[in-house]
Amino acid sequence: MAAGLALALAACATPPPASDPDALAAYKATNDPLEPMNRKLYAINDTIDTYAVKPVAKGYAAVVPSTVRTHIGNVLSNLNLPVVFLNDILEAKSRRAGDSLVRFVLNSTIGLGGIFDPAGSLGYKPHEADFGITFAIWGIGEGPYLYLPVLGPSGPRDAAGFGVGVISDPFFWVGQGAIVTALGWTRYSVNLLNTRASLLKPIDEVKRMALDPYATFRSLYRQHRESVIQDARDDHRATVPDWFTQPPDAQQQ
Amino acid sequence: MTIMAPRRHLLALFTAGVLVLTAPLVARADPTSDAKAMILSTGSALLKVAESNGSASDKQSQLQQLIYTNVDVDAVGRFVLGRYWRIATPKQQQDYMNTFRQLLVYAVTAQASSFQGAQFRVASADQRDLGVVVDTLVNIPGKPEAHVQWVVAPINGRPMIIDILAEGTSLRLTQRNDYAGVISQHSGDIDALIDAMHKQLARFQSQTAG
């Protein structure tokens, strides 16, 4: 315990002195007090990615055609829709919840278990929703930056959101036994592989262009999260059908 | 004649009045539509270069011309260096800006091939605090539709690009954080960043030559 505490303290970045207000403001804006430890974890993850995950993802992308990978991505997104729907409700975004419900029903049936996306063609477009976003809508701040083993860029809010997301997934509770456990791990592994394969070029490009990839990924992660949270906040679509007299505030949207 | 004269006079007065009232509207360019038109022409020119069969160096010189004409490179460069711009010496500023300009051209040239077959349309343009934000939707075959926003500000009366937001992430802010990361990892030494930029530029140049 004492050794762990000492390690965490040793891993803390030293804040600039108050005599340098610009540097202090930049330190606070970066909000990465555990930067030395985070950078070490990033280096470990990056090594694992370079020598294990990326080569496997490259092999997978070479063997599985891109159209099939898109369909696999569709199936995995469809499996995640119950959690997205739950978060839409918790965010009090009824039109988003409606989109998620229609997407799940149509894509699971006509879309053959989510392989195809007929709901998207009908105008029910996908959106991001998870517990990290929900907590942000509820007013919880992102907290200091954390680089987690395997999971990568995060923070206390998003990491807690990830945990709640796992246990709130109905598939986490359905059935038991070796087959169900194996299916769960298969889903997780295929998701990781399919996502990594889709990011082969973008990640290579970031690493090629960035002079400090750690700081670049931190910035991209934070901006992306802020952007999806803002999208959720800005979604004020009315729940009243088009043919009904619209309330005044909805007409202004 | 006596009746015609006042009538002509009145007509002239009326015409002059209309001209005086509408002149400011005609003379004052609308920054939103100017920005929209600029993005439309720059985007089309960019795609034309990406599609062309010219050699890599031809493409690079065409893109360089396009960037230097339509992007406020110096303003972007100063933004990217952030607070360190103020503490850099004039020599460091000059060296940094010179390298930054060249790196920007290499960065765009490297991306040009991924725009092949792309189509884009301007969705909307809004005046915001940081400038006019022109919203475009980019379709690249085999990829989901991407939302790209261009931030345009008037520089010497001409609209110029000062930032690009791809799916909500600002390119200049990301690069500022990248460069600040290098400087803070070297205890605030700006020369460490300039050195890293020189090395990156040399690498890009050797790759292009090879």
Side-chain angles (χ1 to χ4, degrees):
Chain A
M1 174 86 180
L5 194 67
L7 193 71
L9 285 174
C12 279
T14 316
S19 55
D20 190 351
D22 274 1
L24 196 60
Y27 175 83
K28 283 181 179 164
T30 308
N31 195 10
D32 189 2
L34 297 174
E35 187 169 342
M37 185 184 77
N38 283 337
R39 277 188 183 269
K40 284 191 183 86
L41 288 169
Y42 168 79
I44 295 169
N45 254 21
D46 191 45
T47 309
I48 296 171
D49 181 70
T50 306
Y51 295 104
V53 183
K54 188 183 160 188
V56 176
K58 272 178 95 170
Y60 168 82
V63 174
V64 183
S66 114
T67 323
V68 178
R69 278 183 274 134
T70 307
H71 290 312
I72 291 172
N74 287 349
V75 171
L76 293 163
S77 301
N78 195 56
L79 287 174
N80 194 40
L81 274 171
V83 180
V84 173
F85 173 75
L86 176 63
N87 279 289
D88 292 334
I89 298 280
L90 294 171
E91 289 164 21
K93 297 291 176 188
S94 42
R95 280 294 290 270
R96 288 191 151 207
D99 286 351
S100 301
L101 187 64
V102 173
R103 284 185 66 75
F104 188 66
V105 171
L106 283 185
N107 290 354
S108 302
T109 52
I110 305 168
L112 306 176
I115 296 174
F116 301 100
D117 182 15
S121 315
L122 291 172
Y124 298 96
K125 299 285 180 197
H127 59 263
E128 280 189 51
D130 56 46
F131 279 92
I133 298 172
T134 302
F135 293 157
I137 302 265
W138 289 356
I140 299 171
E142 62 181 351
Y145 183 70
L146 287 178
Y147 196 94
L148 300 176
V150 186
L151 295 177
S154 194
R157 181 193 66 205
D158 291 347
F162 176 81
V164 177
V166 169
I167 55 166
S168 70
D169 190 335
F171 296 105
F172 182 78
W173 300 99
V174 172
Q176 53 186 328
I179 295 173
V180 174
T181 310
L183 282 175
W185 279 107
T186 306
R187 177 188 168 194
Y188 178 76
S189 313
V190 174
N191 200 359
L192 181 76
L193 203 57
N194 209 56
T195 309
R196 185 64 186 89
S198 71
L199 293 173
L200 280 170
K201 207 174 168 196
I203 290 182
D204 278 356
E205 201 50 39
V206 169
K207 284 188 182 173
R208 200 174 79 87
M209 296 309 300
L211 297 177
D212 183 356
Y214 169 83
T216 303
F217 283 121
R218 180 177 63 197
S219 178
L220 286 171
Y221 172 75
R222 282 213 170 120
Q223 288 187 68
H224 174 71
R225 290 300 284 173
E226 194 41 57
S227 159
V228 290
I229 290 163
Q230 200 54 45
D231 282 349
R233 279 203 186 105
D234 291 345
D235 194 342
H236 299 298
R237 286 174 297 159
T239 43
V240 181
D242 288 342
W243 47 264
F244 196 80
T245 311
Q246 299 291 306
D249 63 329
Q251 284 171 347
Q252 286 164 14
Q253 299 305 327
Chain B
M1 185 76 186
T2 47
I3 299 169
M4 288 296 281
R7 192 180 284 169
R8 257 203 312 264
H9 186 69
L10 276 175
L11 196 68
L13 207 68
F14 174 75
T15 313
V18 169
L19 283 174
V20 166
L21 286 172
T22 55
L25 295 176
V26 176
R28 190 179 60 215
D30 172 16
T32 314
S33 51
D34 276 1
K36 229 171 164 174
M38 192 274 277
I39 292 305
L40 204 59
S41 70
T42 309
S44 307
L46 184 71
L47 294 185
K48 209 171 148 190
V49 177
E51 298 282 348
S52 74
N53 296 321
S55 67
S57 62
D58 278 353
K59 281 188 182 182
Q60 186 166 333
S61 63
Q62 285 172 40
L63 288 171
Q64 177 167 317
Q65 166 103 30
L66 204 59
I67 294 163
Y68 291 170
T69 318
N70 296 294
V71 180
D72 189 359
V73 182
D74 287 5
V76 177
R78 280 194 300 274
F79 178 90
V80 167
L81 197 56
R83 66 191 179 93
Y84 296 109
W85 176 262
R86 293 195 300 276
I87 49 176
T89 64
K91 190 176 170 293
Q92 283 175 323
Q93 287 182 347
Q94 197 186 357
D95 196 359
Y96 162 81
M97 198 58 91
N98 191 25
T99 320
F100 180 81
R101 282 194 199 106
Q102 296 179 67
L103 281 175
L104 187 65
V105 175
Y106 277 102
V108 177
T109 310
Q111 292 294 326
S113 64
S114 55
F115 297 135
Q116 278 184 345
Q119 288 187 323
F120 90 109
R121 61 193 164 90
V122 175
S124 63
D126 294 308
Q127 178 76 53
R128 296 195 203 154
D129 290 346
L130 64 171
V132 177
V133 178
V134 182
D135 227 341
T136 61
L137 293 162
V138 182
N139 276 296
I140 299 174
K143 287 183 182 167
E145 190 172 62
H147 203 211
V148 180
Q149 294 170 307
W150 311 72
V151 186
V152 177
I155 310 297
N156 301 326
R158 224 168 60 78
M160 292 189 99
I161 299 164
I162 55 165
D163 194 12
I164 300 173
L165 306 167
E167 296 290 339
T169 52
S170 151
L171 293 193
R172 65 173 184 172
L173 183 60
T174 307
Q175 200 163 5
R176 177 192 267 197
N177 289 324
D178 178 24
Y179 284 11
V182 177
I183 298 174
S184 71
Q185 284 299 294
H186 291 85
S187 316
D189 182 8
I190 298 169
D191 280 331
L193 171 72
I194 296 172
D195 189 40
M197 289 168 77
H198 283 161
K199 282 181 183 149
Q200 189 180 42
L201 184 62
R203 199 168 67 241
F204 288 164
Q205 282 167 340
S206 70
Q207 281 166 359
T208 310

